[in-house]
Tab-separated table of all heavy atoms in Angstrom:
chain	number	residue	atom	x	y	z
A	251	HIS	N	-11.899	73.480	28.553
A	251	HIS	CA	-11.565	74.638	27.695
A	251	HIS	C	-10.085	74.938	27.867
A	251	HIS	O	-9.669	75.464	28.896
A	251	HIS	CB	-12.434	75.843	28.128
A	251	HIS	CG	-12.215	77.107	27.351
A	251	HIS	ND1	-13.263	77.916	26.941
A	251	HIS	CD2	-11.081	77.735	26.932
A	251	HIS	CE1	-12.783	78.984	26.313
A	251	HIS	NE2	-11.459	78.893	26.294
A	252	THR	N	-9.282	74.559	26.859
A	252	THR	CA	-7.856	74.903	26.905
A	252	THR	C	-7.360	75.327	25.521
A	252	THR	O	-7.892	74.902	24.497
A	252	THR	CB	-6.941	73.739	27.371
A	252	THR	OG1	-6.634	72.884	26.262
A	252	THR	CG2	-7.552	72.924	28.492
A	253	HIS	N	-6.343	76.178	25.551
A	253	HIS	CA	-5.573	76.518	24.354
A	253	HIS	C	-4.194	75.876	24.579
A	253	HIS	O	-3.191	76.559	24.778
A	253	HIS	CB	-5.457	78.029	24.203
A	253	HIS	CG	-6.784	78.761	24.199
A	253	HIS	ND1	-7.338	79.285	23.049
A	253	HIS	CD2	-7.660	79.052	25.192
A	253	HIS	CE1	-8.501	79.884	23.349
A	253	HIS	NE2	-8.714	79.755	24.644
A	273	TYR	N	-6.975	94.372	27.591
A	273	TYR	CA	-6.704	93.150	26.832
A	273	TYR	C	-6.991	93.361	25.334
A	273	TYR	O	-6.163	93.040	24.472
A	273	TYR	CB	-7.553	92.011	27.403
A	273	TYR	CG	-7.444	90.711	26.653
A	273	TYR	CD1	-6.270	89.951	26.689
A	273	TYR	CD2	-8.507	90.225	25.898
A	273	TYR	CE1	-6.175	88.755	25.994
A	273	TYR	CE2	-8.425	89.028	25.205
A	273	TYR	CZ	-7.250	88.305	25.255
A	273	TYR	OH	-7.159	87.119	24.562
A	318	GLU	N	-10.233	69.376	26.586
A	318	GLU	CA	-10.537	69.967	25.294
A	318	GLU	C	-9.302	70.770	24.890
A	318	GLU	O	-8.590	71.308	25.748
A	318	GLU	CB	-11.775	70.866	25.448
A	318	GLU	CG	-12.292	71.472	24.177
A	318	GLU	CD	-11.859	72.899	23.975
A	318	GLU	OE1	-10.971	73.399	24.718
A	318	GLU	OE2	-12.391	73.546	23.075
A	320	LYS	N	-7.833	73.557	21.726
A	320	LYS	CA	-8.244	74.342	20.564
A	320	LYS	C	-7.079	74.665	19.632
A	320	LYS	O	-5.945	74.848	20.091
A	320	LYS	CB	-8.817	75.697	21.029
A	320	LYS	CG	-9.985	75.581	21.977
A	320	LYS	CD	-10.370	76.958	22.509
A	320	LYS	CE	-11.190	76.878	23.784
A	320	LYS	NZ	-12.473	76.198	23.641
A	323	TYR	N	-4.388	79.601	16.994
A	323	TYR	CA	-3.181	80.432	16.935
A	323	TYR	C	-2.500	80.269	15.574
A	323	TYR	O	-1.310	80.539	15.446
A	323	TYR	CB	-2.215	80.074	18.067
A	323	TYR	CG	-2.705	80.452	19.453
A	323	TYR	CD1	-2.711	79.513	20.489
A	323	TYR	CD2	-3.130	81.745	19.726
A	323	TYR	CE1	-3.141	79.853	21.763
A	323	TYR	CE2	-3.572	82.095	21.004
A	323	TYR	CZ	-3.568	81.152	22.010
A	323	TYR	OH	-3.996	81.494	23.274
A	353	LEU	N	-10.770	76.648	16.188
A	353	LEU	CA	-11.061	78.035	16.605
A	353	LEU	C	-10.427	79.006	15.604
A	353	LEU	O	-9.626	79.867	15.956
A	353	LEU	CB	-10.548	78.257	18.052
A	353	LEU	CG	-10.661	79.653	18.669
A	353	LEU	CD1	-12.091	80.173	18.687
A	353	LEU	CD2	-10.084	79.672	20.078
A	356	HIS	N	-10.736	83.210	16.071
A	356	HIS	CA	-10.199	83.617	17.387
A	356	HIS	C	-9.790	85.090	17.341
A	356	HIS	O	-9.878	85.803	18.328
A	356	HIS	CB	-9.002	82.720	17.723
A	356	HIS	CG	-8.574	82.778	19.167
A	356	HIS	ND1	-7.381	82.242	19.588
A	356	HIS	CD2	-9.167	83.276	20.270
A	356	HIS	CE1	-7.252	82.426	20.897
A	356	HIS	NE2	-8.321	83.050	21.336
A	394	ASP	N	-15.393	76.611	17.662
A	394	ASP	CA	-15.517	77.666	18.676
A	394	ASP	C	-15.332	79.010	17.967
A	394	ASP	O	-14.713	79.076	16.887
A	394	ASP	CB	-14.412	77.434	19.720
A	394	ASP	CG	-14.547	78.254	20.990
A	394	ASP	OD1	-15.370	79.185	21.043
A	394	ASP	OD2	-13.777	77.953	21.934
A	396	PHE	N	-14.678	83.379	19.036
A	396	PHE	CA	-14.523	84.426	20.051
A	396	PHE	C	-15.554	85.508	19.742
A	396	PHE	O	-15.295	86.434	18.973
A	396	PHE	CB	-13.091	84.969	20.002
A	396	PHE	CG	-12.723	85.924	21.123
A	396	PHE	CD1	-13.543	86.150	22.224
A	396	PHE	CD2	-11.499	86.594	21.084
A	396	PHE	CE1	-13.172	87.020	23.256
A	396	PHE	CE2	-11.111	87.466	22.100
A	396	PHE	CZ	-11.960	87.676	23.184
A	424	HIS	N	-16.712	81.317	22.858
A	424	HIS	CA	-16.134	82.251	23.830
A	424	HIS	C	-17.171	83.374	23.956
A	424	HIS	O	-17.207	84.272	23.110
A	424	HIS	CB	-14.819	82.829	23.325
A	424	HIS	CG	-13.625	81.947	23.558
A	424	HIS	ND1	-13.391	80.796	22.850
A	424	HIS	CD2	-12.587	82.076	24.436
A	424	HIS	CE1	-12.251	80.257	23.281
A	424	HIS	NE2	-11.742	81.001	24.246
A	427	GLU	N	-17.072	87.385	27.329
A	427	GLU	CA	-15.945	87.332	28.264
A	427	GLU	C	-15.729	88.693	28.919
A	427	GLU	O	-15.452	88.783	30.109
A	427	GLU	CB	-14.673	86.902	27.521
A	427	GLU	CG	-13.418	86.951	28.395
A	427	GLU	CD	-12.144	86.497	27.696
A	427	GLU	OE1	-12.228	86.057	26.524
A	427	GLU	OE2	-11.075	86.579	28.313
A	446	ASP	N	-18.899	79.463	26.886
A	446	ASP	CA	-17.743	79.541	27.783
A	446	ASP	C	-17.466	80.989	28.195
A	446	ASP	O	-17.814	81.924	27.468
A	446	ASP	CB	-16.517	78.960	27.091
A	446	ASP	CG	-16.699	77.484	26.712
A	446	ASP	OD1	-17.846	77.054	26.477
A	446	ASP	OD2	-15.693	76.763	26.646
A	447	HIS	N	-16.813	81.149	29.345
A	447	HIS	CA	-16.501	82.456	29.961
A	447	HIS	C	-17.717	83.013	30.698
A	447	HIS	O	-17.796	82.918	31.912
A	447	HIS	CB	-16.001	83.502	28.949
A	447	HIS	CG	-14.571	83.361	28.598
A	447	HIS	ND1	-13.554	83.587	29.486
A	447	HIS	CD2	-13.980	83.022	27.425
A	447	HIS	CE1	-12.388	83.385	28.891
A	447	HIS	NE2	-12.618	83.032	27.639
A	474	LEU	N	-14.583	80.248	33.501
A	474	LEU	CA	-13.119	80.236	33.483
A	474	LEU	C	-12.580	81.260	34.491
A	474	LEU	O	-12.009	82.288	34.110
A	474	LEU	CB	-12.643	80.545	32.055
A	474	LEU	CG	-13.336	79.694	30.964
A	474	LEU	CD1	-13.014	80.208	29.571
A	474	LEU	CD2	-12.939	78.227	31.077
A	477	THR	N	-9.069	82.974	34.425
A	477	THR	CA	-8.881	84.028	33.426
A	477	THR	C	-9.298	85.384	33.991
A	477	THR	O	-8.556	86.368	33.875
A	477	THR	CB	-9.710	83.705	32.171
A	477	THR	OG1	-9.300	82.439	31.684
A	477	THR	CG2	-9.532	84.761	31.097
A	503	THR	N	-9.703	75.528	32.908
A	503	THR	CA	-8.557	76.424	33.148
A	503	THR	C	-8.479	77.557	32.136
A	503	THR	O	-7.954	78.621	32.442
A	503	THR	CB	-7.217	75.676	33.058
A	503	THR	OG1	-7.088	75.119	31.742
A	503	THR	CG2	-7.093	74.596	34.119
A	504	ASP	N	-8.915	77.319	30.865
A	504	ASP	CA	-8.631	78.249	29.763
A	504	ASP	C	-7.123	78.350	29.501
A	504	ASP	O	-6.652	79.338	28.928
A	504	ASP	CB	-9.219	79.643	30.042
A	504	ASP	CG	-9.315	80.526	28.793
A	504	ASP	OD1	-9.249	79.990	27.685
A	504	ASP	OD2	-9.455	81.754	28.951
A	505	LEU	N	-6.368	77.366	29.950
A	505	LEU	CA	-4.909	77.372	29.742
A	505	LEU	C	-4.514	78.042	28.430
A	505	LEU	O	-4.894	77.592	27.353
A	505	LEU	CB	-4.405	75.919	29.750
A	505	LEU	CG	-3.003	75.660	29.194
A	505	LEU	CD1	-1.943	76.411	29.998
A	505	LEU	CD2	-2.701	74.176	29.183
A	506	ASN	N	-3.792	79.163	28.531
A	506	ASN	CA	-3.277	79.869	27.344
A	506	ASN	C	-2.222	80.860	27.804
A	506	ASN	O	-2.159	81.202	28.987
A	506	ASN	CB	-4.428	80.558	26.583
A	506	ASN	CG	-4.909	81.830	27.253
A	506	ASN	OD1	-4.264	82.873	27.161
A	506	ASN	ND2	-6.039	81.775	27.954
A	509	THR	N	-4.092	84.920	28.905
A	509	THR	CA	-5.009	85.264	29.993
A	509	THR	C	-5.083	84.234	31.103
A	509	THR	O	-5.722	84.493	32.118
A	509	THR	CB	-6.450	85.469	29.452
A	509	THR	OG1	-6.932	84.224	28.927
A	509	THR	CG2	-6.487	86.534	28.363
A	510	SER	N	-4.442	83.077	30.912
A	510	SER	CA	-4.545	82.050	31.954
A	510	SER	C	-3.431	81.013	31.834
A	510	SER	O	-3.663	79.869	31.434
A	510	SER	CB	-5.911	81.354	31.873
A	510	SER	OG	-6.081	80.527	33.004
B	169	FE	FE1	-10.255	80.550	25.813
Side-chain angles (χ1 to χ4, degrees):
H251 180 138
T252 84
H253 305 254
Y273 176 70
E318 185 260 11
K320 302 173 199 298
Y323 291 129
L353 176 57
H356 195 192
D394 192 349
F396 188 9
H424 277 73
E427 174 179 356
D446 299 28
H447 280 293
L474 311 170
T477 302
T503 60
D504 197 18
L505 164 61
N506 76 77
T509 65
S510 189

